[in-house]
Protein backbone atom coordinates (compact mmCIF):
# COMPACT_ATOMS: atom_id res chain seq x y z
CA UNK A 1 0.00 0.00 0.00
CA UNK A 2 1.04 3.55 -0.73
CA UNK A 3 -0.05 6.50 1.37
CA UNK A 4 -0.40 10.00 -0.02
CA UNK A 5 -0.16 12.81 2.51
CA UNK A 6 -1.25 16.25 1.39
CA UNK A 7 -0.44 19.58 2.94
CA UNK A 8 -0.59 23.27 2.15
CA UNK A 9 -4.30 23.94 1.87
CA UNK A 10 -6.06 26.65 3.81
CA UNK A 11 -7.72 30.01 3.65
CA UNK A 12 -6.29 32.67 1.39
CA UNK A 13 -7.50 36.03 0.12
CA UNK A 14 -8.26 36.57 -3.56
CA UNK A 15 -5.06 37.25 -5.45
CA UNK A 16 -3.01 35.25 -3.00
CA UNK A 17 -1.00 32.08 -3.49
CA UNK A 18 -0.83 28.63 -2.00
CA UNK A 19 1.50 25.71 -2.56
CA UNK A 20 0.04 22.26 -2.15
CA UNK A 21 2.35 19.33 -1.46
CA UNK A 22 1.71 15.61 -1.61
CA UNK A 23 4.24 13.03 -0.48
CA UNK A 24 3.94 9.35 -1.30
CA UNK A 25 5.22 6.81 1.18
CA UNK A 26 4.85 3.16 2.05
CA UNK A 27 5.38 0.11 -0.11
CA UNK A 28 6.33 1.99 -3.27
CA UNK A 29 7.54 0.14 -6.36
CA UNK A 30 7.96 3.04 -8.76
CA UNK A 31 5.70 6.08 -8.86
CA UNK A 32 4.61 7.01 -12.37
CA UNK A 33 2.11 9.81 -12.95
CA UNK A 34 1.18 12.11 -10.08
CA UNK A 35 -1.45 14.79 -10.12
CA UNK A 36 -4.06 16.94 -8.48
CA UNK A 37 -7.80 16.73 -8.87
CA UNK A 38 -10.60 18.86 -7.58
CA UNK A 39 -14.04 17.73 -6.58
CA UNK A 40 -16.90 20.16 -6.21
CA UNK A 41 -20.07 19.16 -4.32
CA UNK A 42 -22.24 16.86 -6.37
CA UNK A 43 -19.71 16.57 -9.17
CA UNK A 44 -17.04 14.13 -10.29
CA UNK A 45 -13.41 14.67 -9.49
CA UNK A 46 -11.79 16.63 -12.27
CA UNK A 47 -8.17 16.90 -13.27
CA UNK A 48 -6.36 20.06 -12.24
CA UNK A 49 -2.92 19.02 -13.46
CA UNK A 50 -0.78 15.90 -13.77
CA UNK A 51 2.91 15.28 -14.26
CA UNK A 52 5.04 12.34 -15.38
CA UNK A 53 8.43 11.41 -13.92
CA UNK A 54 10.17 12.96 -16.92
CA UNK A 55 8.41 16.28 -16.39
CA UNK A 56 5.70 16.07 -19.01
CA UNK A 57 2.54 17.76 -17.78
CA UNK A 58 -1.15 17.90 -18.56
CA UNK A 59 -3.33 20.75 -17.35
CA UNK A 60 -7.06 20.67 -16.85
CA UNK A 61 -9.37 23.66 -17.17
CA UNK A 62 -8.91 24.59 -13.51
CA UNK A 63 -5.20 25.27 -14.02
CA UNK A 64 -5.96 28.17 -16.43
CA UNK A 65 -2.30 29.20 -16.61
CA UNK A 66 -2.26 30.19 -12.94
CA UNK A 67 -1.33 26.83 -11.46
CA UNK A 68 2.02 25.12 -11.93
CA UNK A 69 2.59 21.46 -11.17
CA UNK A 70 6.03 20.10 -10.35
CA UNK A 71 7.52 17.07 -8.66
CA UNK A 72 10.57 15.81 -6.85
CA UNK A 73 11.10 12.23 -8.00
CA UNK A 74 13.66 11.50 -5.31
CA UNK A 75 11.10 12.41 -2.65
CA UNK A 76 8.07 10.98 -4.47
CA UNK A 77 6.43 14.34 -3.93
CA UNK A 78 4.23 16.43 -6.18
CA UNK A 79 3.53 20.12 -5.76
CA UNK A 80 0.86 22.48 -7.03
CA UNK A 81 1.76 26.16 -6.99
CA UNK A 82 -1.49 28.09 -7.09
CA UNK A 83 -1.15 31.77 -7.99
CA UNK A 84 -3.58 34.66 -8.28
CA UNK A 85 -6.24 32.63 -6.56
CA UNK A 86 -9.89 33.42 -7.14
CA UNK A 87 -12.99 32.54 -5.12
CA UNK A 88 -13.97 30.02 -7.79
CA UNK A 89 -10.79 28.07 -7.00
CA UNK A 90 -12.34 27.12 -3.69
CA UNK A 91 -12.73 23.39 -3.29
CA UNK A 92 -11.21 20.16 -2.05
CA UNK A 93 -8.05 19.20 -3.88
CA UNK A 94 -7.01 15.56 -4.02
CA UNK A 95 -3.60 14.14 -4.73
CA UNK A 96 -3.41 11.19 -7.10
CA UNK A 97 -0.57 8.82 -7.93
CA UNK A 98 0.01 5.71 -9.98
CA UNK A 99 2.51 3.12 -8.82
CA UNK A 100 4.00 0.50 -11.14
CA UNK A 101 2.98 -2.22 -8.74
CA UNK A 102 2.80 -5.07 -11.25
CA UNK A 103 5.68 -5.03 -13.70
CA UNK A 104 4.67 -8.39 -15.17
CA UNK A 105 1.28 -7.17 -16.39
CA UNK A 106 1.93 -3.45 -16.67
CA UNK A 107 -1.06 -2.73 -14.48
CA UNK A 108 -0.53 0.25 -12.22
CA UNK A 109 -2.02 0.76 -8.79
CA UNK A 110 -3.85 4.03 -8.27
CA UNK A 111 -3.88 5.89 -4.97
CA UNK A 112 -5.65 8.95 -3.64
CA UNK A 113 -4.95 11.32 -0.82
CA UNK A 114 -7.52 12.38 1.75
CA UNK A 115 -8.01 15.79 0.18
CA UNK A 116 -7.05 19.25 1.31
CA UNK A 117 -9.42 22.17 1.48
CA UNK A 118 -8.59 25.37 -0.37
CA UNK A 119 -10.77 28.35 0.44
CA UNK A 120 -10.36 31.65 -1.37
CA UNK A 121 -12.28 34.39 0.36
CA UNK A 122 -11.86 37.91 1.61
Amino acid sequence: QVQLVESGGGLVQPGGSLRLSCAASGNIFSINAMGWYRQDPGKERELVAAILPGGGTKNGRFAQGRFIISRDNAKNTVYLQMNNLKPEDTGVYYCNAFDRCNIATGIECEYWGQGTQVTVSS
Side-chain angles (χ1 to χ4, degrees):
Q1 282 290 326
V2 173
Q3 295 79 43
L4 300 179
V5 178
E6 300 139 332
S7 61
L11 173 65
V12 63
Q13 292 187 342
S17 297
L18 282 176
R19 189 192 196 206
L20 306 183
S21 298
C22 171
S25 63
N27 190 20
I28 294 171
F29 287 87
S30 176
I31 297 292
N32 193 8
M34 301 185 81
W36 292 94
Y37 285 71
R38 185 176 121 186
Q39 185 167 23
D40 293 335
K43 296 187 177 181
E44 304 253 333
R45 285 182 192 180
E46 186 173 341
L47 175 72
V48 177
I51 185 168
L52 294 172
T57 61
K58 178 178 181 179
N59 289 332
R61 66 183 180 94
F62 290 129
Q64 298 179 0
R66 296 180 291 116
F67 298 172
I68 301 170
I69 191 169
S70 62
R71 67 188 284 170
D72 184 329
N73 292 330
K75 296 181 179 179
N76 288 316
T77 299
V78 64
Y79 307 95
L80 185 68
Q81 178 67 42
M82 309 171 75
N83 299 318
N84 190 23
L85 282 159
K86 302 177 181 181
E88 52 264 39
D89 296 320
T90 294
V92 180
Y93 288 75
Y94 293 89
C95 179
N96 172 266
F98 286 88
D99 184 44
R100 299 183 180 98
C101 57
N102 194 327
I103 298 297
T105 64
I107 295 174
E108 297 186 353
C109 296
E110 183 177 21
Y111 298 96
W112 291 94
Q114 298 274 17
T116 185
Q117 176 71 44
V118 171
T119 303
V120 185
S121 175
S122 54

